[in-house]
Amino acid sequence: MKKLAVLLTLSLLGAGLAQGVRSLGMGGVALPGPSFAGSNPAYAAFPDTWGREGLALPVGLLRFLPAFSDTSPFTYLTDPNAFRTSFDLLSFYDQASHLGSFLLNPARSPDEVVFRLSAEGLSLTDGRGNNLMPTFQVGAVPEKPTALIPSPFLPIGVELGPGTYLAFGPFVGTQGVRVLPSPELAQALAGGSLNPCKASDPSPCYLEAGGSFASGVSLALGFSTPLPEVPGLGRVYLGARGEGFYGLGYVEASGKARPTFDPDGNVNGASYEVRYFISYPEYLESSLGLGGSGLGYGVRADLGVAVDGGQYAFGLGVRNLLGFSQWSGVEVEVKDGHETRTPTTRRSGFSAPAFFLNGAYRLPLEVGELLLAADASFGATAPAFHLGLEYALGPVALRTGLGVEGGLRFGLGAGLNLEAVTLDLALTTHQAPLVGGTVYGLALAVGF
Amino acid sequence: MKRFLMLTTLLLALAACSGHTVHRIEVDFLSFVPEANRSGTLDLTTAEVQVPDDPAGQLVPVPGAEALLEGTVRVKAEVANTGTLPAQVDLEVRMGPEGDTNLYDGVDGDLEAKRVSLTLDPGTTGTLDLSLDLAPGNPAFDLVKAGSFRIGARLNLSGEKVDYTLTQGEVVLRLKLFNLIPNP
């Protein structure tokens, strides 16, 4: 239990600090430069004139102090009664997955969940008559392992020569989480009638949940270099990176729950199917004892190109253009209480490219300067799009932007660039998971 | 392995759950009674009717019943005295454990949860409104808290003739899943 809690917290930590504060203030847009070398290897040698900013502080960690009983699981140890009356798992998840922001109104579970069962059907509402549709997705849930592992957390980088570098670090993170009702179940919940669920046996109504989680250590060897300037275009940068990993743990799980009916069409129970694959190094078998010991490894190649035209900059990165990964472990299937375990080796495909395209344009004004930026991600990753702008006047910058990234988001921000120190502040937003609505947060970065 | 599965299930169950969330389960058990059986006549030959017909009653499973805070059982019937003599109608709700095969025989743990009576003069109508609060200390509460229980209702006539129509039959339970979390 403690091990799983630590792994979960670490995975969320990795995801939660993924973006800089300047970027958050611009609606999450990615500015060209070394900050996004992970998405486009050509940016490793790119001048740091577009996306420069201070170090993002994990201000979201403040919400794990026991004083914040809605988001702090540690309240369980300091005040069990306050934990039982105030702790909100959804609020905790929301804050933990956005550690770079102190959430002002983290997603909140409904005060009342009403299950109404009658011969006509089953309805699920929030107590005020609003239907609760259990739908939730973060990232793209892979059906098989991928060499596209999460970015390393606090990597150690070594310069090997001009444009050549080595980076080493641990990685841990979810590669996607999903809770989704089948169309028939969604129809039944919306209409309050179970008739769509009786169309076949087994019932077409089911609630599906799935996700995957990977951890390990990665080693990347990258090369990035500027090419001679192209007249009329600007300086072109090329980059390539090879990244391999040694796996410390991989879990891929999915589950389905569906109602069962008696011959008269009345609900008489539910059937469950759970399938999961688990893999970890052999030396962990004695402490975990799940029978999933095996080797996990992978390697992939990333390529990128970027252009710096002075007034403008843009780039295209392709991660996992070629790649391979495999995990050996055990696959477990549990169906209506019967468990089958099969030693299995799960392998990825040889190419599942994830594309990242971004650009920025500086527009000088009579007073100050305007920076416009946009980015798009697509391919073997959850699609996302952002658009942001920044108005700079002397040491002060004002920012705003919007994006689509598992829901609509927008940002507001400000920056102060003094000689000795830089400060960036952003008001961030994102869609509350499961319950919908907008969650606001504050993010802070400091540079010296 | 079981611990792992239990933990996974618990995490999924708590995904939309918090210390301030109350889960309310409403079971409209009257809707499971065929329309034709919800109304009828009680007279000298048929002075008693059970709902549902089966003396074992209706089984109501309650997942997570250990977290039960409170509940209510509500049964309503419209009654009209169509005879020539005054009549008394009794409405009784009986509950029993999951394994009980007859809720009305007073053995195997069944009990009378509540009873209401109505006296009607010839040609008059009235409403039998039975509301049973399930709260700690109440034997019916303990039955529900066991995780699965049976429930049934019985209408009884002392008189000549009445027409009845059952208009409501509902169990409402309020549960707080965070109450299942033990102290550290």
Side-chain angles (χ1 to χ4, degrees):
Chain A
M1 177 81 180
K2 281 179 185 167
K3 283 176 190 164
L4 193 75
V6 169
L7 287 174
L8 182 67
T9 305
L10 284 175
S11 71
L12 295 171
L13 193 76
L17 287 173
Q19 277 189 306
V21 175
R22 189 176 176 209
S23 167
L24 288 170
M26 297 175 73
V29 74
L31 292 166
S35 305
F36 287 90
S39 302
N40 180 349
Y43 283 142
F46 209 76
D48 194 13
T49 54
W50 291 88
R52 186 167 48 202
E53 63 177 289
L55 179 70
L57 302 178
V59 289
L61 287 173
L62 291 173
R63 268 203 162 272
F64 297 149
L65 294 174
F68 298 96
S69 57
D70 58 337
T71 47
S72 173
F74 303 111
T75 314
Y76 178 61
L77 302 173
T78 58
D79 188 347
N81 285 332
F83 177 84
R84 282 196 200 92
T85 53
S86 308
F87 182 71
D88 191 321
L89 194 65
L90 190 60
S91 301
F92 165 72
Y93 171 81
D94 199 18
Q95 180 60 79
S97 55
H98 296 88
L99 285 182
S101 300
F102 179 90
L103 299 186
L104 302 174
N105 61 328
R108 182 179 158 91
S109 299
D111 287 332
E112 193 163 45
V113 176
V114 180
F115 300 84
R116 182 165 181 83
L117 178 66
S118 70
E120 285 77 42
L122 171 73
S123 69
L124 182 60
T125 62
D126 64 359
R128 286 176 291 181
N130 303 317
N131 278 314
L132 284 175
M133 197 67 75
T135 303
F136 174 54
Q137 179 154 356
V138 174
V141 180
E143 302 299 326
K144 53 187 176 184
T146 171
L148 206 56
I149 53 171
S151 298
F153 182 61
L154 299 176
I156 299 165
V158 181
E159 288 285 338
L160 298 179
T164 310
Y165 60 93
L166 200 66
F168 171 82
F171 69 88
V172 58
T174 57
Q175 293 178 291
V177 178
R178 177 179 65 202
V179 178
L180 205 63
S182 68
E184 291 81 1
L185 179 59
Q187 187 189 345
L189 290 174
S193 168
L194 282 178
N195 286 337
C197 302
K198 301 174 188 172
S200 60
D201 187 21
S203 171
C205 290
Y206 58 82
L207 184 66
E208 184 186 15
S212 66
F213 163 89
S215 75
V217 287
S218 77
L219 178 69
L221 176 64
F223 175 72
S224 176
T225 185
L227 299 178
E229 190 155 333
V230 178
L233 182 64
R235 187 168 288 275
V236 179
Y237 293 78
L238 284 180
R241 181 177 53 223
E243 184 167 354
F245 73 87
Y246 170 74
L248 293 176
Y250 180 73
V251 179
E252 192 184 298
S254 68
K256 277 184 186 174
R258 66 178 87 225
T260 56
F261 298 91
D262 65 17
D264 298 327
N266 299 318
V267 179
N268 63 359
S271 71
Y272 301 93
E273 295 170 41
V274 177
R275 185 193 297 266
Y276 66 89
F277 171 81
I278 187 164
S279 169
Y280 47 77
E282 215 159 291
Y283 59 84
L284 290 177
E285 182 62 43
S286 57
S287 48
L288 292 177
L290 299 174
S293 64
L295 189 62
Y297 63 90
V299 63
R300 72 164 201 274
D302 306 336
L303 287 178
V305 60
V307 174
D308 184 7
Q311 290 289 100
Y312 58 85
F314 59 88
L316 171 66
V318 187
R319 289 184 300 149
N320 201 23
L321 188 63
L322 281 175
F324 176 75
S325 72
Q326 85 167 35
W327 295 84
S328 297
V330 65
E331 184 159 300
V332 181
E333 187 176 354
V334 184
K335 195 170 181 183
D336 297 331
H338 298 287
E339 181 181 297
T340 53
R341 306 170 68 85
T342 316
T344 308
T345 296
R346 304 267 289 144
R347 297 183 178 88
S348 71
F350 282 99
S351 179
F355 298 91
F356 174 71
L357 182 65
N358 72 329
Y361 180 73
R362 282 197 186 103
L363 181 65
L365 302 175
E366 280 188 23
V367 180
E369 185 183 72
L370 199 62
L371 174 67
L372 303 164
D375 73 53
S377 302
F378 51 95
T381 183
F385 170 78
H386 305 94
L387 189 65
L389 59 91
E390 177 185 78
Y391 174 71
L393 181 63
V396 178
L398 300 173
R399 304 168 186 131
T400 189
L402 55 85
V404 179
E405 186 185 323
L408 191 66
R409 59 183 285 185
F410 72 90
L412 283 175
L416 185 63
N417 190 353
L418 303 173
E419 281 188 14
V421 64
T422 63
L423 281 175
D424 291 294
L425 186 68
L427 175 72
T428 67
T429 66
H430 65 267
Q431 287 292 305
L434 283 173
V435 291
T438 304
V439 176
Y440 297 89
L442 287 176
L444 180 67
V446 182
F448 299 100
Chain B
M1 174 47 57
K2 280 184 179 170
R3 284 176 63 191
F4 179 78
L5 278 177
M6 279 174 64
L7 179 67
T8 308
T9 308
L10 188 65
L11 284 174
L12 285 173
L14 295 182
C17 192
S18 72
H20 58 82
T21 301
V22 170
H23 289 75
R24 197 167 90 213
I25 299 173
E26 299 177 353
V27 183
D28 178 5
F29 66 83
L30 185 61
S31 68
F32 294 98
V33 177
E35 193 85 37
N37 294 1
R38 293 182 204 171
S39 57
T41 301
L42 290 175
D43 53 27
L44 292 174
T45 52
T46 310
E48 183 182 294
V49 66
Q50 293 169 4
V51 180
D53 277 347
D54 185 351
Q58 176 72 43
L59 179 67
V60 182
V62 188
E66 299 88 346
L68 183 67
L69 292 177
E70 59 186 5
T72 311
V73 178
R74 189 128 200 229
V75 182
K76 228 183 215 184
E78 301 293 333
V79 186
N81 186 345
T82 51
T84 56
L85 299 171
Q88 180 181 316
V89 186
D90 298 318
L91 173 62
E92 177 190 14
V93 168
R94 295 192 67 88
M95 295 169 69
E98 182 183 1
D100 194 10
T101 52
N102 188 343
L103 290 180
Y104 305 95
D105 60 3
V107 296
D108 293 332
D110 59 76
L111 53 89
E112 178 189 288
K114 192 157 186 182
R115 173 194 289 262
V116 290
S117 299
L118 179 68
T119 302
L120 292 171
D121 290 326
T124 61
T125 61
T127 302
L128 277 166
D129 190 351
L130 184 151
S131 181
L132 165 66
D133 292 328
L134 300 171
N138 184 329
F141 180 83
D142 297 334
L143 274 176
V144 177
K145 205 149 183 174
S148 187
F149 68 97
R150 292 186 172 277
I151 187 167
R154 178 163 64 180
L155 264 177
N156 210 301
L157 170 69
S158 300
E160 185 192 358
K161 190 179 177 188
V162 294
D163 290 345
Y164 68 90
T165 304
L166 290 165
T167 55
Q168 188 179 16
E170 190 173 70
V171 177
V172 177
L173 302 173
R174 287 165 55 83
L175 301 102
K176 196 168 181 186
L177 297 184
F178 263 51
N179 284 356
L180 298 173
I181 298 173
N183 276 326

